[in-house]
Amino acid sequence: LELLKNYNVERLEDVKIEGDLEIEIEGGSGVDLSSLTALYTLLNEFRNFFYHTNMALGYLQRISTMLGVPAPFQVAPMAPAAVPAAPQPVPAVPELKLPEKLIGAKFEPPKVEYPGYIEEVVLGATRADGGTRDYVVKLGGEKSLAFYIFDKPQPNLPAIAIDVFDRPPSLAKAVKVHYEDVVGSPAEWAKKCVKKFGADMVTIHLVSTDPLLENTPASEAVKVVEDVLQAVKCPIIIGGSGNKDKDPEVLEKAAEVCEGERVMLASATLDMDWERICNAAKKYGHVVLSWTQMDINNQKTLNRYLLKRAQMPRNSIVMDPTTAALGYGLDYAFTNMERIRISGLKGDTDLNFPISSGTTNAWGAREAWMTESPLDVDTPWGPRELRGPIWEIITGLTLSLAGVDVFMMMHPLAVAVLKEIFNTLVGKTKGGIADAGKWITAEV
Amino acid sequence: MRMKVKSPLEVYNFLPRTNCKDCGYDTCMSFASRILDRSAKVYDCKPLVRDAEKDPKVKEKLEKLVELTSPEIAEVIVGVGDKAIKIGGEEVLHRHELTFFNPTAFFFDVWDTLDDKKIEERCKRVVDYKKFYVGKYLTLDGFAVRCTSNDPKRFREVAKKVASYGKPMVLISLNPECMKAALEEVANQRPLIYAATEGNWKEFMKLAFDYKVPVAIRAKDLNVLKSIAVTFKSAGIKDIVLDPVTEPLGEGLQKTFERVIQLRRKAILDGDKDVAYPILITPISAWLIEGDEVTKAYWEAVIAGLFIVKYGDAMIFHSIDQHVVMPTLTLRFNIYTDPRTPVQVAAGLREINSPSPEDPVFLTTNFALTYYTVENDLNSAKIKGWLLVVNTDGIGVEASVAGGKLTAAKVKEIIEQTKVAEKVNHRYLVIPGLAARLQGAIEDETGWKVLVGPIDSGRIKGWMEKNWPPKK
């Protein structure tokens, strides 16, 4: 851990995260403040880095201008005059004929155009549109692959929604530690996501409605939604418990209390009464999330049902083709989404909708949350405080390249890093490193 | 996919058409289709190779076929012997169009101003690295030896030392003298030399030619990059790797993304052979940004992740820390998994650690990842038991329960098929924690008593201490 010396490692080491995944819910146990401090430090340090880099960059640029550091491709220094090889009587091996200068070649960058486009879906409604949100979030609208701004400009950045639960969920400790102070109050939780962690939106999951858990009646559960709408002014997403029988009722009720707010109802699936959810969405002006299990054909089928049978407007459907964690089926999730996106761009109007990803699933990977490898033969896994967030980051980053438009996430550091990546890839982060070749000779 | 031949019939016409089976396939036609999907090589056709030795006309035919079926992106070999690594050799822009073939090679930084002891430590960490995953160990590929001393003698010495670890190497110095010194020592290890630039290309051309080693070309301007590549190729240098310069941050990183994608699209969509070479990415560039070690390491992983998904064929890393290595290595495995072959194992009953009739019966799915994880966890915790593997079409536990691929009926079926009831003297079945909701249904369907095990099989040991043998 020598590497981490500059990094408050002593404090990091104090973060004794025991018990890994918490399946049982602890009742009001004291919050370990020292651990919180260390992890916030981690987060803040990381956020500061963007500030620092910009500072450093400005500095480097000034220096290089002052010193007149030449452009990266100056005229080649004269190479030592090539000694012409003495002609050999029998050239057994081909000789190198050292050319005097480069054979000039031009690189013509290819341009790819697709006939189709991805629908643009607006979440949230401001007062002007009959809602009470401070701003709206636009998803989709692409005419090229994600971040291929050299083909077509990317109209909207992928958005990030942080998950909020109406009952204490099972979370990896590294995640839970950030929400411990708000876990009893979804409204406070939502506030923290937006104000402290920079979420564009929040997803309120009404998990307690599950008949196998508290079985909270729909009418009571949606009071939490009203609280959240009061507490934050960003667009919101409402999730059910995943119970196929109860969710339509719960989401219908939620649609009613959110009338005019243009929320996203998550989710409609093939094996439930999707029509009921769609009808509620249409009646109260909301968006429906069409969720299938990693199968492009099922996604197509469900979307067709929503479009043709339930008559959902095209600007009110988002798809969740299912997210699997890095190392646990990410290849399927990636390729499924990439195929869906390419089909949409090629003109398949059953599949040209924005894509949503439940990136929080990354925390299901044991590499993200276990203290150490259960196998002795593995090289030690290192501090999991560092492994966990990067697991969520790489899962999200990979799927962003497949075309995901909205990420449902949890770790604040992962949220911050993904935002930085998205801003960079659409060209919104100015500057860079002046001499990108310095690593060749630098002692790191 | 722009292979020059597209149908097995076109390949078939080059073959002897005798169905001699020497290649291991029943017919020349099936061999032809194997060549097309790259699971067989032209050189596996023994009669063709044999005749080519005698008859120049057949030789010409063989060479033509090799050319027609060669990959869109040149394949370059770094290193020698069984540890040599292939980079490039790709055919498509998206893995679902066929597959990606040669996983991004990971080379790890060693620099010559480190003291010998530190060099040995770093080398050992790379060589010893192991991560169990889907039935095998993920390991690291090789070293990137940087000349930070600018001293030919020291660089040569360190190159020699690093070479003794037997892994493929990238030698890094823009100074031809330093490079020459190292090559004198280790050229026979076939290192990749890095890098020819607009400033030193003549000297590097000569080095690549004289020592017959693959060479990386570094230029941010793609016209320059292509010009150097064309010049090298026309001089007979074939083993070329392109470095379009990894800028780690901001607009620079966005432009890097654009350059990499345009290079690969140019090669595959437009069939431009002058840029159809493997692409080298340097996540190590992240260490130029300001910030603490964790920030740099995280950003290094981010850059690597970006280009593992998008066309990086080889990479140079600085960090050997797990928060960089583990996620990127796993991502590489995922992206380069052949989507044509389902990642499954056979369903059935496995005996773990020679179990006896009183040992527990566990249940899992035939998704390779799940299966190997459970099997390994049981083995490494030295647990004796019977492991029932249900055919869920290669879907993991959680998704197969949700998607109806793991059901009580299927459990009943596998219990009957494997006759596990005859092998144990109890009727207790331990199911995965993620399948807990099937507990009642399985009990009803099979008459066995169902115990819900932990969510992660790494916890079976602790679970056993509390729950096995079951309390009556």
Side-chain angles (χ1 to χ4, degrees):
Chain A
L1 282 179
E2 231 178 72
L3 254 171
L4 297 173
K5 261 205 185 114
N6 302 332
Y7 201 74
N8 290 325
V9 72
E10 296 81 2
R11 292 160 80 181
L12 256 183
E13 279 171 343
D14 281 342
V15 189
K16 290 252 165 48
I17 299 186
E18 276 157 10
D20 301 339
L21 264 190
E22 300 235 328
I23 305 308
E24 300 83 13
I25 308 306
E26 299 161 359
S29 59
V31 176
D32 180 2
L33 279 176
S34 68
S35 69
L36 274 176
T37 320
L39 282 156
Y40 281 132
T41 313
L42 185 94
L43 174 66
N44 286 329
E45 288 268 333
F46 201 86
R47 286 184 149 178
N48 284 342
F49 124 66
F50 300 115
Y51 173 71
H52 288 316
T53 34
N54 283 334
M55 293 274 291
L57 176 80
Y59 177 70
L60 274 174
Q61 275 173 343
R62 279 195 302 278
I63 297 258
S64 59
T65 317
M66 265 169 10
L67 297 179
V69 172
F73 296 105
Q74 75 240 62
V75 181
M78 284 310 271
V83 183
Q88 287 179 354
V90 189
V93 248
E95 274 300 310
L96 175 65
K97 288 184 206 77
L98 205 58
E100 277 307 306
K101 53 179 189 176
L102 286 177
I103 301 170
K106 191 145 176 55
F107 182 87
E108 302 278 0
K111 197 147 174 111
V112 175
E113 287 206 24
Y114 290 99
Y117 60 92
I118 305 306
E119 296 283 355
E120 187 170 77
V121 174
V122 177
L123 296 185
T126 59
R127 292 203 182 275
D129 293 312
T132 61
R133 306 296 88 198
D134 280 350
Y135 57 88
V136 300
V137 168
K138 292 178 181 174
L139 307 176
E142 297 94 336
K143 290 179 176 162
S144 63
L145 294 180
F147 310 120
Y148 282 31
I149 57 171
F150 34 90
D151 283 343
K152 284 276 166 22
Q154 178 136 333
N156 301 301
L157 235 65
I160 293 179
I162 298 184
D163 294 317
V164 175
F165 299 86
D166 74 340
R167 71 192 291 280
S170 315
L171 294 174
K173 269 254 171 144
V175 173
K176 191 176 177 180
V177 74
H178 294 286
Y179 299 103
E180 236 148 10
D181 55 335
V182 291
V183 93
S185 162
E188 289 306 310
W189 190 337
K191 259 190 208 166
K192 189 171 186 183
C193 295
V194 176
K195 299 223 165 94
K196 192 150 182 142
F197 301 146
D200 302 311
M201 296 186 277
V202 293
T203 307
I204 169 74
H205 297 272
L206 303 174
V207 182
S208 77
T209 58
D210 192 331
L212 298 175
L213 298 170
E214 289 81 1
N215 198 15
T216 312
S219 53
E220 200 179 309
V222 296
K223 286 181 185 150
V224 169
V225 176
E226 290 174 292
D227 291 347
V228 171
L229 280 172
Q230 284 294 322
V232 291
K233 292 296 159 191
C234 62
I236 69 167
I237 300 169
I238 298 161
S241 67
N243 182 288
K244 311 288 183 199
D245 300 320
K246 182 102 178 259
D247 272 2
E249 182 195 341
V250 172
L251 294 176
E252 183 182 63
K253 198 75 199 159
E256 191 185 327
V257 302
C258 294
E259 180 164 14
E261 299 286 9
R262 201 160 173 76
V263 301
M264 180 155 82
L265 303 172
S267 312
T269 62
L270 274 169
D271 53 355
M272 61 148 65
D273 189 355
W274 40 265
E275 199 152 15
R276 186 170 173 188
I277 299 172
C278 290
N279 287 338
K282 281 193 297 179
K283 186 167 174 193
Y284 301 108
H286 303 306
V287 172
V288 167
L289 185 62
S290 166
W291 178 28
T292 55
Q293 300 283 339
M294 275 201 244
D295 183 324
I296 188 171
N297 295 317
N298 283 345
Q299 189 68 60
K300 211 172 146 78
T301 305
L302 181 56
N303 290 355
R304 285 176 78 94
Y305 287 168
L306 302 193
L307 286 165
K308 303 274 154 59
R309 298 201 195 164
Q311 298 283 313
M312 280 298 291
R314 296 192 62 84
N315 65 1
S316 302
I317 296 175
V318 174
M319 305 178 282
D320 179 357
T322 298
T323 290
L326 171 61
Y328 294 81
L330 181 63
D331 40 341
Y332 293 98
F334 171 78
T335 283
N336 186 43
M337 288 180 187
E338 194 181 42
R339 288 179 64 198
I340 287 172
R341 174 49 48 98
I342 291 173
S343 300
L345 289 173
K346 282 185 173 167
D348 186 334
T349 51
D350 292 333
L351 291 170
N352 66 332
F353 301 100
I355 299 175
S356 168
S357 158
T359 315
T360 300
N361 287 354
W363 288 93
R366 54 163 65 172
E367 287 83 351
W369 59 266
M370 259 192 193
T371 23
E372 193 38 83
S373 172
L375 307 177
D376 300 338
V377 284
D378 274 2
T379 298
W381 282 6
R384 66 167 165 174
E385 295 75 13
L386 298 177
R387 261 189 276 126
I390 195 74
W391 217 261
E392 189 176 359
I393 292 166
I394 297 292
T395 302
L397 166 63
T398 302
L399 297 179
S400 76
L401 294 168
V404 167
D405 298 282
V406 52
F407 291 87
M408 301 196 195
M409 306 181 57
M410 284 219 77
H411 199 287
L413 181 55
V415 170
V417 174
L418 275 195
K419 282 200 151 190
E420 182 62 19
I421 296 170
F422 301 157
N423 275 305
T424 300
L425 291 181
V426 299
K428 284 194 174 169
T429 313
K430 294 295 163 208
I433 294 288
D435 176 9
K438 222 176 134 198
W439 67 269
I440 296 173
T441 50
E443 290 191 51
V444 182
Chain B
M1 190 173 131
R2 266 180 59 102
M3 265 207 194
K4 283 178 236 153
V5 281
K6 288 200 170 71
S7 88
L9 197 64
E10 289 172 76
V11 178
Y12 179 76
N13 289 332
F14 283 85
L15 300 174
R17 288 172 278 182
T18 53
N19 300 337
C20 72
K21 301 185 176 60
D22 274 5
C23 59
Y25 300 98
D26 282 345
T27 62
C28 288
M29 193 54 122
S30 84
F31 178 62
S33 65
R34 294 305 185 136
I35 290 179
L36 269 191
D37 74 14
R38 289 192 29 195
S39 54
K41 287 201 175 66
V42 172
Y43 292 105
D44 295 341
C45 178
K46 287 167 195 160
L48 190 60
V49 172
R50 205 167 46 227
D51 293 346
E53 281 166 17
K54 298 171 216 150
D55 184 347
K57 273 193 184 155
V58 180
K59 186 162 182 250
E60 204 177 296
K61 202 163 136 186
L62 173 71
E63 279 166 2
K64 181 86 185 148
L65 181 58
V66 169
E67 193 201 319
L68 286 175
T69 55
S70 69
E72 289 288 342
I73 304 299
E75 195 167 69
V76 171
I77 294 172
V78 181
V80 289
D82 58 352
K83 293 216 173 102
I85 188 157
K86 286 188 218 159
I87 59 177
E90 301 302 336
E91 305 279 7
V92 292
L93 291 174
H94 306 289
R95 61 192 287 277
H96 63 264
E97 293 167 336
L98 184 67
T99 182
F100 290 156
F101 286 94
N102 296 318
T104 314
F106 285 12
F107 297 98
F108 288 84
D109 182 25
V110 180
W111 58 104
D112 69 356
T113 44
L114 265 185
D115 66 54
D116 287 2
K117 196 159 164 281
K118 289 243 170 65
I119 290 177
E120 281 156 27
E121 267 171 35
R122 274 187 83 84
C123 289
K124 212 167 143 25
R125 276 178 73 190
V126 171
V127 171
D128 291 347
Y129 186 91
K130 253 192 193 178
K131 164 80 167 72
F132 185 80
Y133 186 67
V134 202
K136 49 181 127 182
Y137 289 102
L138 304 182
T139 56
L140 308 181
D141 304 303
F143 298 104
V145 191
R146 291 189 298 134
C147 178
T148 45
S149 65
N150 205 31
D151 171 8
K153 197 165 148 263
R154 176 62 183 162
F155 191 43
R156 175 178 181 150
E157 195 176 283
V158 172
K160 182 183 179 186
K161 181 186 276 297
V162 177
S164 71
Y165 289 88
K167 293 249 183 195
M169 292 188 293
V170 186
L171 298 178
I172 298 177
S173 174
L174 302 185
N175 179 342
E177 273 177 53
C178 293
M179 190 58 77
K180 188 167 197 296
L183 282 174
E184 277 166 9
E185 190 68 51
V186 299
N188 61 355
Q189 301 298 307
R190 204 180 154 76
L192 170 66
I193 59 172
Y194 181 100
T197 64
E198 204 177 14
N200 68 13
W201 64 270
K202 284 190 185 173
E203 292 90 334
F204 267 72
M205 177 188 258
K206 187 151 168 46
L207 289 172
F209 190 88
D210 289 349
Y211 291 96
K212 299 186 173 44
V213 287
V215 58
I217 303 171
R218 173 184 167 89
K220 201 158 81 173
D221 180 333
L222 297 185
N223 294 319
V224 175
L225 192 70
K226 184 172 170 179
S227 298
I228 302 179
V230 168
T231 310
F232 276 32
K233 187 181 173 187
S234 67
I237 293 168
K238 286 187 194 134
D239 294 317
I240 293 170
V241 175
L242 304 177
D243 172 16
V245 178
T246 305
E247 298 176 88
L249 212 61
E251 283 170 306
L253 181 54
Q254 187 275 317
K255 288 289 174 200
T256 305
F257 183 73
E258 176 172 347
R259 287 193 293 273
V260 169
I261 284 158
Q262 294 294 43
L263 269 179
R264 186 50 48 95
R265 291 206 309 199
K266 188 77 189 164
I268 288 181
L269 296 178
D270 293 358
D272 184 345
K273 287 289 165 194
D274 292 336
V275 292
Y277 298 107
I279 295 174
L280 178 78
I281 303 289
T282 58
I284 188 176
S285 306
W287 291 79
L288 297 176
I289 66 178
E290 287 290 313
D292 54 80
E293 305 262 344
V294 172
T295 303
K296 292 172 179 178
Y298 260 44
W299 204 248
E300 182 171 31
V302 163
I303 293 174
L306 201 52
F307 295 109
I308 286 169
V309 179
K310 295 282 182 183
Y311 317 133
D313 298 297
M315 282 185 185
I316 296 171
F317 286 87
H318 173 67
S319 175
I320 326 176
D321 286 320
Q322 283 286 33
H323 49 281
V324 176
V325 175
M326 210 153 64
T328 51
L329 204 55
T330 309
L331 179 63
R332 173 179 85 168
F333 188 97
N334 285 171
I335 294 296
Y336 281 85
T337 294
D338 189 341
R340 297 170 299 179
T341 8
V343 199
Q344 305 183 6
V345 297
L349 180 68
R350 306 288 204 285
E351 299 180 7
I352 310 287
N353 296 323
S354 324
S356 45
E358 59 271 16
D359 289 321
V361 180
F362 299 100
L363 181 97
T364 191
T365 74
N366 76 330
F367 176 36
L369 176 67
T370 315
Y371 170 75
Y372 285 116
T373 307
V374 174
E375 188 209 20
N376 243 270
D377 288 340
L378 292 174
N379 269 324
S380 106
K382 302 190 173 57
I383 295 166
K384 292 180 173 197
W386 307 83
L387 180 57
L388 281 172
V389 184
V390 182
N391 179 4
T392 55
D393 294 334
I395 308 282
V397 177
E398 198 170 15
S400 63
V401 171
K405 300 264 184 198
L406 180 56
T407 60
K410 282 219 177 164
V411 175
K412 185 184 184 192
E413 195 184 302
I414 197 80
I415 287 178
E416 286 171 357
Q417 262 175 26
T418 56
K419 301 193 169 67
V420 63
E422 295 169 17
K423 295 176 183 167
V424 294
N425 58 13
H426 61 82
R427 293 293 177 268
Y428 286 97
L429 177 66
V430 184
I431 65 170
L434 288 173
R437 71 160 88 159
L438 296 179
Q439 184 179 24
I442 298 174
E443 289 190 339
D444 294 348
E445 190 85 20
T446 63
W448 284 52
K449 178 89 184 130
V450 172
L451 306 174
V452 177
I455 282 180
D456 191 293
S457 59
R459 299 288 181 74
I460 290 178
K461 192 171 186 199
W463 182 90
M464 291 273 289
E465 281 157 15
K466 282 189 204 149
N467 299 287
W468 194 268
K471 289 155 199 87
K472 303 276 151 97

